[in-house]
Amino acid sequence: MEKSISGVKIELTHGNIAAQPDMTAIVNAANAQLRTGGGVAGAIHKAAGPGLEEECRPFAPIKPGEAVITGAHRLPNEYVIHCLGPVYGQDKPEDELLANCYRNALRLANENEIDSIAFPSISSGAFGYPLEEAAKVALRNIINDCDGLSHVKLIRLVLFSSNDLEVYTRTLSEMLA
Ligand code: AR6
């Protein structure tokens, strides 16, 4: 699915965040220590190689909602933006902290004159955020921020399962209806 909002294209696709060679930046669903892990963080660090953890070290630890930017090392992108999502039921208010991830990542992308950025569904894996709620927060904040983006022209959400893609597609259609 594709939609254009204030000149910014929003794309929803099924795939692996670590295999998006046409995107300038990809977003990591990080841990506070900015180390490798499971899910998205594991896939990104594995593909990037050990230089990514090394570059991340001085920035750690980060707090829920925060984002930091690094190079992409062996990944086919220029940048990785690392966001720490909230652990559902623990870091509160969850919706504000999750919103801050998307907003801070887009701010960093725009400040670094990045034209295209791919996000995973932050917090909806190991951190337990219910997918439908996570999709609403992600899409609402991305849509709201499109107006203020002077450099970002393409925002892609890379969903790991066909069910996740379906939920995001339905949520975006309802929001724009
Ligand atoms: N590409 C795109 N999406 C993926 C991929 C992938 N390669 N792998 C998983 N997903 P998660 P979180 C989906 O757990 O909830 C890590 O261990 C997944 O199905 O990666 O923010 C870190 O070290 C889910 O929908 O991130 C942290 O400790 C979504 O991406 C912790 O997990 C997010 O799942 C972060 O937890």
Side-chain angles (χ1 to χ4, degrees):
M1 182 178 187
E2 265 183 39
K3 291 277 171 190
S4 230
I5 294 164
S6 307
V8 181
K9 198 203 273 186
I10 299 177
E11 270 180 22
L12 306 182
T13 57
H14 182 200
N16 174 4
I17 191 73
Q20 304 296 319
D22 57 330
M23 303 301 281
T24 304
I26 60 168
V27 173
N28 184 14
N31 49 66
Q33 296 304 325
L34 302 174
R35 312 229 15 205
T36 188
V40 168
I44 286 179
H45 279 275
K46 188 167 176 222
L52 182 59
E53 261 198 11
E54 217 168 284
E55 190 185 350
C56 282
R57 205 166 296 138
F59 297 114
I62 62 168
K63 297 195 189 80
E66 287 182 351
V68 298
I69 186 164
T70 65
H73 299 263
R74 292 184 201 149
L75 280 156
N77 315 97
E78 281 181 46
Y79 300 98
V80 179
I81 297 178
H82 308 258
C83 294
L84 178 62
V87 176
Y88 195 76
Q90 183 180 309
D91 299 318
K92 290 180 191 250
E94 286 101 344
D95 55 346
E96 273 178 40
L97 294 171
L98 187 58
N100 290 345
C101 287
Y102 289 93
R103 306 196 68 198
N104 283 324
L106 288 174
R107 176 183 52 76
L108 282 175
N110 214 46
E111 282 172 9
N112 286 276
E113 303 188 359
I114 288 167
D115 58 346
S116 56
I117 177 169
F119 285 91
S121 176
I122 299 169
S123 277
S124 67
F127 284 177
Y129 213 113
L131 188 70
E132 301 219 352
E133 293 308 308
K136 277 185 200 155
V137 175
L139 292 167
R140 190 187 315 124
N141 285 283
I142 288 173
I143 290 169
N144 285 346
D145 278 9
C146 280
D147 208 20
L149 297 173
S150 43
H151 294 283
V152 178
K153 295 291 163 226
L154 170 61
I155 301 172
R156 177 180 296 159
L157 282 135
V158 180
L159 288 322
F160 204 48
S161 72
S162 44
N163 178 61
D164 291 5
L165 176 60
E166 250 174 62
V167 170
Y168 268 74
T169 303
R170 187 171 0 114
T171 306
L172 183 58
S173 306
E174 282 167 9
M175 267 176 199
L176 299 179

